[in-house]
Amino acid sequence: MKTLVLGASNNPDRYSYQALMRLQKHKHEVVAIGSKATVVEGISIQVGLPEIEGVDTVTLYLNPTHQAAYYDYIIGLHPRRVIFNPGTENPAFYALLTSYRIQIEVACTLVLLATHQY
């Protein structure tokens, strides 16, 4: 299953970076979009709205004010679910995703991985 980390960072102190590393460690296929194009441990962080197919899960590391620019993009990926990590909670987006039958989870990707619930 492919996971898109949206809001990915190459800074090891950021939770999005830690999510990239742990997803990869748990053998999940990972794609990433961030504010600057770079490579982290073999994972290319892309910028913009790249064409990505087969995304099962989008895990968000963007605050709600930055999410709006990605609403149509995320819906167009047809993911099974979107995970809203701490600080990304966005009830307006929950309603929109639900209307497209996309599951929402308000959870921490790192905790889900650590507890084998991902």
Side-chain angles (χ1 to χ4, degrees), residues 4-5 7 13 18-19 25-26 41-43 45 59 69-70 74 86 92 97-98 103-105 111 113-114:
L4 168 60
V5 177
D13 295 331
Q18 293 171 34
K25 179 182 174 189
H26 284 86
E41 300 289 329
I43 301 168
I45 298 178
T59 184
Y70 292 94
I74 292 169
L97 291 168
T98 301
Q103 297 173 26
I104 61 151
E105 281 190 56
V111 171
L113 287 164

Side-chain angles (χ1 to χ4, degrees), residues 10-107:
N10 65 343
N11 179 344
D13 295 331
R14 306 286 300 200
Y15 290 119
S16 63
Y17 175 95
Q18 293 171 34
L20 287 173
M21 297 301 98
R22 293 209 192 142
L23 284 161
Q24 191 172 50
K25 179 182 174 189
H26 284 86
K27 308 290 187 220
H28 291 277
E29 185 179 354
V30 182
V31 290
I33 297 174
S35 61
K36 60 182 169 181
T38 187
V39 177
V40 174
E41 300 289 329
I43 301 168
S44 293
I45 298 178
Q46 303 173 72
V47 295
L49 307 172
E51 285 190 36
I52 303 171
E53 294 187 13
V55 173
D56 175 76
T57 300
V58 175
T59 184
L60 289 177
Y61 289 94
L62 293 174
N63 73 44
T65 58
H66 292 107
Q67 292 171 19
Y70 292 94
Y71 285 2
D72 291 337
Y73 178 72
I74 292 169
I75 291 164
L77 293 172
H78 308 290
R80 177 178 59 87
R81 68 177 173 170
V82 174
I83 299 173
F84 289 82
N85 287 280
T88 67
E89 299 87 350
N90 185 346
F93 196 21
Y94 304 164
L96 183 59
L97 291 168
T98 301
S99 75
Y100 283 91
R101 295 190 173 100
I102 297 170
Q103 297 173 26
I104 61 151
E105 281 190 56
V106 180

